[in-house]
Amino acid sequence: MLTVREIAVSGYRSLKQIRFPVDGLGVFVGGNGAGKTNLYRSLELLQSAADGALTRALAAEGGMESVLWAGERRRTEPARVRLSAELADDETGHAFAYEVAVGLVPQAGDEIYGAAFSLEPQVKTERLTVQTGLRPVVALNRDGPSGFVRDEDGRKRPFGTTLLATETALGALQDAVRFPEIEIVRRAMAAWRFHHDFRTDAASALRRPCLAVTTPTLASDGSDLAAVFATLRHIRQDTVDLDEAVGHAFPGARLVIPPPDREAQFGLIFSEYPRRVFAASELSDGTLRYLALAGALLAYRLPPFVALNEPETSLHPDLMEPLARMIVRASERTQVWLVTHSERLAQAIAEHGGVRPRVVVKRDGATWIEGLRLAGDFSQDED
């Protein structure tokens, strides 16, 4: 399993240029407008590069005119959104570094490569380096329409296919035999999970039964929550952590997960009404959201990287402590990274997990993290 060691972003919204390390459990707290969500979103964009949907994701945000750094830029500096991630295999010691730059379609009269509409984001450069010994080796290098990859024998080869200007090579070159390093990184990044918008309205999938299919990992939107709970109860036959999380949040309550037939479902019994099972459709927004977070953090199998954006939304302040315990428990099995408004949640995670929350601030209009040095690490006095 590849762990994320470092993230770097430049030219994206309020992120002028920032590089920061990623630990096993990372907590970033700050006020409105500091740019926490932009940090979170940049991680999502990196995953979309692995899925081949990076330019579509940027277009959905309003296109390059909306996502580019709006501050001053040198006249000779091209308008680019640059994203990069460093990953490592803790067992083998192998390290991987992926970076991608996206820019504007050249104006009329300039050279244009590939098919693209006038306002579409375009992939300008991509690079993947792999280090298995003393020196890193370039496994993928792209500059505009041309470039090379290193095959299974270590030889440089052309892509072997024509890439559109709106496609990433990381997402398009899916051949585990010919390009093993690319496949390793692509699969690792595609497996990341992002949870930031659990719908709890009357039409939410969280409130309805779902197909009874063994489900070890919660979907990003939580739509298979009932199947995740059923997998824990009836396949793994271990809900100790889940029952504890429910008990901490709702003293005296009990989660009911009946054996599924074609569909899986769940409900809650509260201490005030011991003979009544409250179905998911009847639960409050906050209760349902907390249970969705429990499904994301305590599932049978956790993804290699879990990112949470303001998980405290809609939750009662008394739920910050049990939520913090769940987050710390999950970080013992995988990497967990979150941004939050709640200092109470951040402090509870610090107490249970022994980590220092990082404060996100604005500095000369750009998002920054207190204690972060330009070298991309945190000062010793902060540690």
Side-chain angles (χ1 to χ4, degrees), residues 136-158:
V137 176
V138 178
L140 161 67
N141 191 69
R142 175 187 185 179
D143 187 358
S146 61
F148 67 84
V149 289
R150 189 177 69 159
D151 65 16
E152 69 274 20
D153 297 321
R155 293 175 295 189
K156 293 181 180 180
R157 293 183 177 273

Side-chain angles (χ1 to χ4, degrees), residues 107 114 118 127 161 229 235 271 318 324 343 368:
Q107 298 298 310
S118 60
R127 188 178 177 90
T161 185
F229 287 162
I235 301 297
S271 59
D318 290 345
E343 293 186 5
W368 198 251

Side-chain angles (χ1 to χ4, degrees), residues 2 4 7 42-51 83-87 96-100 128 170 182-194 304-305:
L2 299 186
V4 185
I7 297 293
S42 65
L43 296 174
E44 280 191 304
L45 291 173
L46 274 165
Q47 185 190 56
S48 68
D51 289 340
L83 308 161
S84 70
E86 291 186 8
L87 305 97
F96 304 81
Y98 172 75
E99 59 184 66
V100 59
L128 173 65
L170 184 64
I182 295 175
E183 185 68 8
I184 289 170
V185 172
R186 188 189 67 78
R187 286 192 178 187
M189 292 170 61
W192 297 352
R193 280 289 194 278
F194 296 86
F305 184 84

Side-chain angles (χ1 to χ4, degrees), residues 105-267:
V105 174
Q107 298 298 310
D110 292 340
E111 181 182 357
I112 298 178
Y113 72 90
F117 300 119
S118 60
L119 297 180
E120 270 191 297
Q122 277 193 328
V123 177
K124 300 297 185 180
T125 61
E126 271 183 283
R127 188 178 177 90
L128 173 65
T129 59
V130 181
Q131 186 163 0
T132 59
L134 295 177
R135 293 183 178 181
V137 176
V138 178
L140 161 67
N141 191 69
R142 175 187 185 179
D143 187 358
S146 61
F148 67 84
V149 289
R150 189 177 69 159
D151 65 16
E152 69 274 20
D153 297 321
R155 293 175 295 189
K156 293 181 180 180
R157 293 183 177 273
F159 294 145
T161 185
T162 301
L163 294 179
L164 296 175
T166 51
E167 292 180 307
T168 58
L170 184 64
L173 302 178
Q174 298 186 24
D175 190 328
V177 175
R178 294 180 62 203
F179 317 124
E181 294 105 341
I182 295 175
E183 185 68 8
I184 289 170
V185 172
R186 188 189 67 78
R187 286 192 178 187
M189 292 170 61
W192 297 352
R193 280 289 194 278
F194 296 86
H195 298 292
H196 60 273
D197 189 21
F198 288 125
R199 283 183 51 193
T200 55
D201 57 89
S204 166
L206 293 175
R207 296 191 178 279
R208 300 193 301 269
C210 68
L211 292 175
V213 178
T214 301
T215 307
T217 305
L218 186 71
S220 289
D221 62 359
S223 56
D224 50 7
L225 179 61
V228 167
F229 287 162
T231 299
L232 283 170
R233 175 62 54 84
H234 302 290
I235 301 297
R236 186 176 185 176
Q237 298 183 346
D238 181 1
T239 58
V240 172
D241 290 344
L242 180 59
D243 293 336
E244 184 179 273
V246 171
H248 285 157
F250 315 108
R254 181 165 59 90
L255 187 64
V256 177
I257 311 169
D261 40 41
R262 286 194 178 93
E263 293 183 323
Q265 54 190 313
F266 65 91

Side-chain angles (χ1 to χ4, degrees), residues 2-31:
L2 299 186
T3 57
V4 185
R5 293 290 180 84
E6 184 178 89
I7 297 293
V9 188
S10 65
Y12 176 65
R13 295 194 180 275
S14 65
L15 305 178
K16 182 180 181 181
Q17 186 170 0
I18 191 168
R19 180 161 60 96
F20 56 93
V22 181
D23 298 319
L25 174 57
V27 182
F28 296 81
V29 63

